[in-house]
Each structure stands twice: as C-alpha cells, then as structure tokens.
C-alpha cells in the first residue's frame, strides 16, 4: 500500500469514527424532536419509532396553551439578554486590567478569581440565597441579572488569556501618540478581542437561557417564571406530558442553535484564542 492510499484510508477511517461519535451526541436531540411530534402512545414503544405516525403537530399548539408560554419566553429573554450584556460589559474590563495593567495586588486577586472557579455552585447556593434574601431580591429576577455585571470568573479567565496574546507594542504605540488608558482599551484592544467577547457572551447566553436552579431558587411568582421552570409544569400526578414537554424543549433549543450557526466562525475563533500574531 503506497503512502497516498494509506493516507486516504486513514482519512476515511477518521471520518467514519467522527460520524459515529457525532451520531451518538445528536441522538438525544433527534429523540427530543421526534417525541415532540408523537402521540403519547408512541413515546416509549420498543423498538423506538423514530418517525412519528401520524405527525402530532398539535403538540406544539397544545404546549403553548398548557403553560403561559409567551410570558415565560419574555421573562427568559429579558433575563438572558441583560445577564449576557452584563458579562460583555464587565468581564473584558476586568480581564484587560489583569492582563495589561500593573497595579498592587493584581496577582493575588487573580488567584482568588481562579479559586472561585473551583468552588462548586452548590457550596455558595445557600450563602447567596441568604444574602439576596437579606437585601430583598428574592422573588425578583435581580439575582439572575445583577451578578453578571460584576464579572464571571470563567469569562474573565478566558478573556485575560486572549488579551495577554495581544502584543504590547500596540499599547506602547498608542501611548506615544498620547492616548489614555481607557482610549487604548476602548478603541484598540476591545475591537481586537471581539471574537473572544462573543464567545463568552454565547456561553453566558446558553447558561442563562437553560438555567433551571437559579430561577427555581429566586423566583416565587409564577408570572416571573422562565421557560426552564415552565417545563416542570408538564409533570402532573396523572403522568408526564412527554409530547408537550419535548415540544417546548425543542422550541427552547432552536434559538441557541440558530445563534450558534450565525456566530460559529467567530465563536470558534474566540475559543482558539487566535488573536493577532
């Protein structure tokens, strides 16, 4: 077997492995979409009927009427957009400071920021609830929005790594031209960090959009519920409405998929921290 044939066999084998692994990952999504179009009698049949017969399109209309779908959708959009905005505003500022500026205690605070990433969210759940309850925020969406405006450790870490990859010569040249530190950040560094900022923004969007525990802890009025809490309402004493639940889950997933397809190039570029060389 010559080298050219051997290379082609290796590429083909690699693609087969990747396709099989991809199918394993995408199977739950296919089951969700398939179940959203099935009558309840076909949900748990064995072997699995992947193609519904007949297609139960009414599941989507029934799901919207079963819960106040558009109220929950509005609440989810408001919380997600505002928390994402908070991350996009605060995290680049903090990350730039850690990466490019010199100030006393910077390294200690960065170590603390990294240490916060290591703490499981379950550990801080009760202290945070007590804190927000003390200041009267429980029962409002503020605990799900305001903390994002003070930075998210994981996003700060990612953006710091990106800013560190940007050459200091850009900053030095701008200083020689008389630019202030904020102008250097706003007009030079921030545009260059756009791929990384979009990446952390997408992470925050997905986290807020699908968050269940946060709204469950802090939202007490049904009029403030999000879609993730709305899914819980499809469980009743008479059994779970699987078709309707999967219909709402599908509608919840579509915006994230659309967003990813529009931003995938920028997102991947930000993840790989390509920056400029």
């Amino acid at each position: 077997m010559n080298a050219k044939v051997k290379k082609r066999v290796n590429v083909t084998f690699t693609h087969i492995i990747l396709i099989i692994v991809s199918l394993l990952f995408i199977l739950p999504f296919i089951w969700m979409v398939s179940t959203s179009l099935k009558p309840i009698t076909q949900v748990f049949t064995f072997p699995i009927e992947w193609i519904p017969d007949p297609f139960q399109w009414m599941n989507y209309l029934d799901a919207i009427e079963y819960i106040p779908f558009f109220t929950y959708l509005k609440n989810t959009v408001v919380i997600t957009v505002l928390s994402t905005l908070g991350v996009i505003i605060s995290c680049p500022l903090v990350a730039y400071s850690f990466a490019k500026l010199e100030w006393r205690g910077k390294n200690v605070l960065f170590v603390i920021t990294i240490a916060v990433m290591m703490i499981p969210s379950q550990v801080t759940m009760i202290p945070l609830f007590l804190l927000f309850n003390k200041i009267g925020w429980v029962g409002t969406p503020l605990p799900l929005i305001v903390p994002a405006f003070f930075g998210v450790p994981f996003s700060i870490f990612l953006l710091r790594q990106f800013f560190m990859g940007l050459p200091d010569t850009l900053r030095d040249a701008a200083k020689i031209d008389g630019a202030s530190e904020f102008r250097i950040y706003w007009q030079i560094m921030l545009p260059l960090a756009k791929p990384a900022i979009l990446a952390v923004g997408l992470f925050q969007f997905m986290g807020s959009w699908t968050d269940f525990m946060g709204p469950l802890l802090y939202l007490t009025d049904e009029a403030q519920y999000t879609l993730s809490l709305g899914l819980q309402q499809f469980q009743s004493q008479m059994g779970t409405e699987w078709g309707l639940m999967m219909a709402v889950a599908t509608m919840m997933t579509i915006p994230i998929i659309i967003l990813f397809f529009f931003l995938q190039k920028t997102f991947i570029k930000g993840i790989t921290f390509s920056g400029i060389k």
Side-chain angles (χ1 to χ4, degrees), residues 119-140:
I119 301 175
S121 60
Q122 292 83 356
V123 174
T124 58
M125 194 178 292
I126 294 176
L128 282 176
F129 180 85
L130 293 175
L131 172 66
F132 290 134
N133 189 47
K134 189 78 174 176
I135 58 179
W137 284 7
V138 173
T140 74

Side-chain angles (χ1 to χ4, degrees), residues 26-174:
I26 204 172
L27 271 180
F29 177 75
I30 295 174
W31 186 86
M32 178 181 73
V33 176
S34 172
T35 304
S36 72
L37 295 169
K38 287 179 182 175
I40 190 67
T41 53
Q42 293 180 15
V43 172
F44 293 113
T45 54
F46 186 82
I48 298 175
E49 295 181 26
W50 294 101
I51 301 176
D53 183 25
F55 282 88
Q56 196 82 4
W57 296 103
M58 283 299 293
N59 281 347
Y60 283 84
L61 294 177
D62 293 341
I64 290 173
E65 292 176 356
Y66 194 92
I67 59 173
F69 178 83
F70 292 105
T71 300
Y72 294 171
L73 177 64
K74 182 196 73 176
N75 296 335
T76 307
V77 169
V78 169
I79 291 172
T80 301
V81 170
L82 290 179
S83 64
T84 303
L85 186 66
V87 166
I88 289 175
I89 292 173
S90 64
C91 291
L93 269 171
V94 180
Y96 178 75
S97 174
F98 279 135
K100 296 295 183 185
L101 304 185
E102 292 299 329
W103 43 278
R104 185 178 296 177
K106 181 179 79 170
N107 293 331
V108 174
L109 278 180
F110 182 68
V111 169
I112 294 174
T113 304
I114 296 297
V116 171
M117 288 169 52
M118 311 299 173
I119 301 175
S121 60
Q122 292 83 356
V123 174
T124 58
M125 194 178 292
I126 294 176
L128 282 176
F129 180 85
L130 293 175
L131 172 66
F132 290 134
N133 189 47
K134 189 78 174 176
I135 58 179
W137 284 7
V138 173
T140 74
L142 291 176
L144 306 173
I145 298 171
V146 175
F149 283 84
F150 292 89
V152 174
F154 180 66
S155 300
I156 291 172
F157 173 73
L158 287 181
L159 289 171
R160 175 187 177 268
Q161 300 307 108
F162 189 90
F163 279 124
M164 288 185 72
L166 298 179
D168 289 333
T169 50
L170 289 174
R171 187 162 163 260
D172 295 338

Side-chain angles (χ1 to χ4, degrees), residues 7-34:
K7 184 180 178 183
R8 185 170 296 175
V9 170
N10 286 336
V11 170
T12 305
F13 181 74
T14 303
H15 277 81
I16 291 172
I17 296 294
L18 289 175
I19 289 171
I20 293 173
V21 173
S22 301
L23 285 175
L24 289 176
F25 277 97
I26 204 172
L27 271 180
F29 177 75
I30 295 174
W31 186 86
M32 178 181 73
V33 176
S34 172

